[in-house]
């Protein structure tokens, strides 16, 4: 695979995916953990609630049961009281049926003004007490005798009910019969009991009087400190109404609180160590409580046992609510401790049984149990949530890396390929592995790369072509430069040669002319000779100047008058013009001109100059008696040949004879002959017309000049110029 630079994009993509995914995972984890805690808290709360409800229910049931038991106990007492009251009514309403009975001991009037029946040794007897100043009526004493009928009932009542400590009847004029016997003498002597006992002053009487008990039902007193020294007491009492409707007195059964608590409250047991039970009367009076209750309610010692008077608003409100009857649950604050107060009425007498249970002792153990149970589950759930999140995280990391690799691999391949392109490796192709935008990018790159390769190849071809053209142009330029240099050299040589060529005749002319001017030569014949020499030099100069002029025109490539001529007639015409001159030179002329030669494209005058120059040279270098041949024949072009039987040209001269001012090194006529420009002019003219010239020679065997003339192009035969 193609490796690119450090995978920064990939890292960025992976990091982005991680960040994007991490956040929801974190949030989800936090959310899950928080939810677990919420659910757990809710579960704990719900558990607490449920268990609290269960506890409440248990307490209520227990309370109900206890209430029933207590009610049963109290009912027993009330039933006894009710029975005693009924019997009393009968006994007192029917004097004709119930004759007064005599007590074992007679009534004894004491010094303090009261009367009583002193204690007898018989435990089953009652004591009669008449308060000082009691306003006795005529029937009062008889009624005392009648109440004795109750004596066995009193004994029976106490025997039947372990809670009862005393049973008695008090008639409204302060006549009391009580069982068991009481030592009134001692009690009054010690000041525990008043000699002038007025029953209306004591709750164990007035609670059932017509004012306090208009319904004439069994009632209960508030707890009171017993006047007979038996401690705290409550009394169940009932009024006695005669059959004529007259209120006659009450019957009552005393129950000491100690007994009551022992008999009723002691049987109540709580699981909660701080819980206790107490009996509450509707006016807020605590009738009895389990020992813990006295400290908890703060009613021990001398303090009032009435909850309405303790200064605790919550407790007062609770007491009022409980006193209103009904059953339920209240929560109060006692000394900073929350307490549940479960309450239920004791049906028979308007009392309520209350269970006080510290809230903490109900809730805390539940909380502890539930938390102990749930903590383990919470830990398991948390572990699961965290493990799941970690797994998700690992998955996201793997996916992010894979995804970023998948996304960036083609890009890195592209980068590497682009790098390869940069190194000149055109046409590189990347395998397309994806059908998405990146795949499209790779495809586009491949296409671009291929096109680039084509482009580069085309460019290279063009560059090669241009280079070749340039090289050719350079060659041409070099050739031109060479020519320019050669031309320059030639020019310099020409100037030097021309100067040289001019200097010689001009010096001669100068010398001869000076000699004539200075009169050094006076002989007329010699003067004539001098003038002849001067004249010939001038002629020579003239020819030289003509030749130079002609040459310069040729080299300047001045346009020539090229026309098409029939080669045969034209050359025949030229040959004819040579005859006279050859005769003068005593040379024979051989002319062989092929008939019907094609038309040639030439400057007629120039061509004539060529023929004249060649023939002139031939005449010059051919001794008299020699022969000069003029031939023309058709080859590829029209070929013209001028040959002589003269002295020929030395091999070392052959290559130079067409150069300017070259006259041959061993040329015997060198000093007297021309300026060495003739052949140069000939060659220039022939080449200017598009032909070529060659020379063949052997010293002493004459020489042959052959030149070609361009023929007219095919199809132009009829456009010959007139000769
Ligand atoms: P020139 O004016 O001196 O004749 P050319 O250019 O015509 O100059 O000739 C150059 C030289 O070539 C001559 O000097 C001569 O040496 C040689 N040459 C030319 N034509 C002939 C010929 N037909 N036979 C022998 N030598 C010749």
């Amino acid at each position: 695979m193609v490796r690119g630079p450090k995978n920064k994009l990939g890292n960025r993509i992976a990091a982005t995916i991680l960040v994007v995914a991490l956040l929801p995972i974190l949030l989800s984890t936090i959310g899950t953990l928080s939810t677990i805690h919420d659910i757990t808290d809710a579960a704990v709360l719900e558990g607490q609630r449920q268990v609290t409800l269960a506890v409440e229910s248990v307490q209520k049931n227990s309370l109900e049961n206890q209430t029933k038991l207590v009610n049963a106990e109290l009912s027993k007492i009330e039933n006894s009281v009710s029975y005693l009251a009924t019997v009393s009514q009968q006994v007192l309403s029917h004097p004709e049926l119930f004759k007064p009975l005599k007590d074992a001991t007679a009534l004894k009037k004491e010094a303090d003004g009261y009367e009583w029946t002193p204690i007898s040794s018989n435990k089953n007897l009652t004591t009669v007490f008449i308060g000082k100043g009691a306003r006795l009526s005529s029937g009062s004493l008889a009624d005392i005798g009648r109440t004795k009928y109750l004596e066995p009932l009193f004994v029976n009542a106490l025997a039947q009910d372990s809670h009862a400590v005393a049973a008695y009847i008090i008639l409204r004029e302060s006549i009391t019969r009580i069982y068991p016997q009481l030592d009134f003498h001692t009690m009054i002597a010690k000041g525990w009991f008043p000699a002038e006992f007025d029953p209306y002053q004591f709750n164990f009487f007035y609670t059932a009087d017509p004012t306090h008990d208009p319904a004439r039902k069994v009632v209960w007193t508030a707890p009171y400190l017993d006047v007979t020294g038996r401690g705290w007491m409550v009394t169940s009492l009932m009024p006695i109404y005669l059959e004529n409707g007259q209120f006659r007195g009450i019957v009552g059964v005393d129950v000491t609180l100690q007994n009551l608590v022992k008999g009723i409250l002691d049987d109540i047991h709580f699981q909660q160590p701080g819980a206790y039970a107490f009996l509450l009367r509707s006016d807020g009076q605590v009738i009895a409580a389990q020992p813990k209750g006295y400290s908890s309610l703060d009613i021990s010692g001398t303090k009032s046992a009435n909850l309405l008077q303790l200064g605790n608003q919550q407790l007062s409100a609770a007491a009022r609510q409980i006193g209103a009857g009904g059953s339920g649950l209240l929560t109060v604050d006692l000394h900073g401790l929350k307490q549940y107060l479960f309450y239920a009425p004791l049906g028979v007498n308007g009392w309520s049984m209350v269970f006080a249970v510290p809230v903490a002792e109900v809730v805390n153990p539940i909380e502890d149990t539930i938390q102990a149970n749930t903590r383990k589950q919470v830990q398991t759930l948390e572990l699961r949530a965290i493990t799941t999140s970690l797994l998700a995280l690992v998955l996201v990391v793997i996916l992010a890396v894979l995804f970023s690799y998948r996304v960036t691999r083609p890009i890195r391949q592209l980068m590497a390929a682009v790098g390869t392109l940069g190194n000149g490796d055109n046409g590189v192709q990347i395998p397309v592995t994806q059908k998405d935008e990146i795949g499209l990018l790779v495809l586009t790159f491949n296409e671009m790369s291929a096109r680039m390769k084509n482009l580069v190849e085309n460019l290279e071809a063009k560059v090669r072509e241009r280079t070749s053209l340039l090289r050719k142009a350079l060659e041409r330029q070099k050739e031109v430069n060479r020519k320019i240099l050669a031309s320059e050299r030639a020019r310099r040589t020409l100037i030097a040669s021309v100067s040289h060529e001019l200097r010689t005749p001009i010096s001669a002319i100068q010398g001869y002319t000076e000699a004539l001017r200075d009169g050094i030569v006076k002989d007329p014949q010699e003067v004539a000779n001098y003038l002849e020499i001067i004249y010939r030099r001038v002629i020579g100069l003239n020819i030289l100047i003509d030749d130079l002029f002609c040459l310069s025109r040729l080299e300047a490539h001045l346009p020539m008058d090229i026309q098409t001529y029939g080669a045969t007639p034209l050359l025949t015409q030229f040959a004819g013009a040579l005859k006279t001159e050859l005769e003068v030179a005593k040379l024979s002329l051989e002319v062989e001109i092929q008939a019907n030669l094609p038309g040639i494209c030439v400057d007629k005058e120039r061509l004539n100059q060529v023929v004249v120059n060649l023939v002139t040279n031939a005449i010059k270098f051919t001794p008299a008696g020699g022969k000069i041949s003029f031939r023309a024949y058709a080859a590829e072009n029209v070929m013209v040949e001028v040959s002589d039987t003269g002295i020929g040209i030395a091999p070392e001269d052959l290559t130079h004879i067409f150069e300017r001012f070259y006259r041959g090194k061993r040329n015997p006529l060198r000093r007297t002959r021309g300026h060495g420009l003739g052949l140069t002019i000939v060659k220039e003219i022939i080449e200017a017309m598009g032909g070529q010239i060659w020379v063949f020679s052997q010293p002493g065997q004459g020489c042959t000049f052959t030149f070609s003339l361009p023929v007219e192009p095919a199809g132009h035969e009829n456009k010959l110029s007139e000769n």
Side-chain angles (χ1 to χ4, degrees), residues 547 613-622 642-644 646-650 653 656-659 661-670 673-682 697 702-705:
D547 284 351
N613 275 8
L614 289 173
V615 171
T616 305
N617 274 352
I619 294 171
K620 242 192 284 185
F621 297 102
T622 305
V642 177
S643 62
D644 61 58
I647 61 171
I649 302 167
D653 291 333
H656 299 291
I657 54 170
F658 292 106
E659 293 171 6
F661 302 114
Y662 193 84
R663 279 171 292 197
K665 282 177 182 165
R666 289 194 219 151
N667 181 1
L669 304 171
R670 196 170 174 257
R673 304 309 323 158
H675 310 290
L677 289 174
L679 284 178
T680 312
I681 290 169
V682 163
S697 180
C703 60
T704 302
F705 289 90

Side-chain angles (χ1 to χ4, degrees), residues 567-568 571 594-600 631-641 694 706-712:
T568 305
L571 294 171
Q594 205 178 304
N596 298 324
L597 285 171
I600 48 174
R631 294 191 191 89
Y633 55 92
E636 196 177 334
N637 292 305
V638 169
M639 306 299 282
V640 180
E641 192 181 286
W694 301 269
T706 307
F707 60 91
S708 62
L709 292 172
V711 298
E712 63 170 341

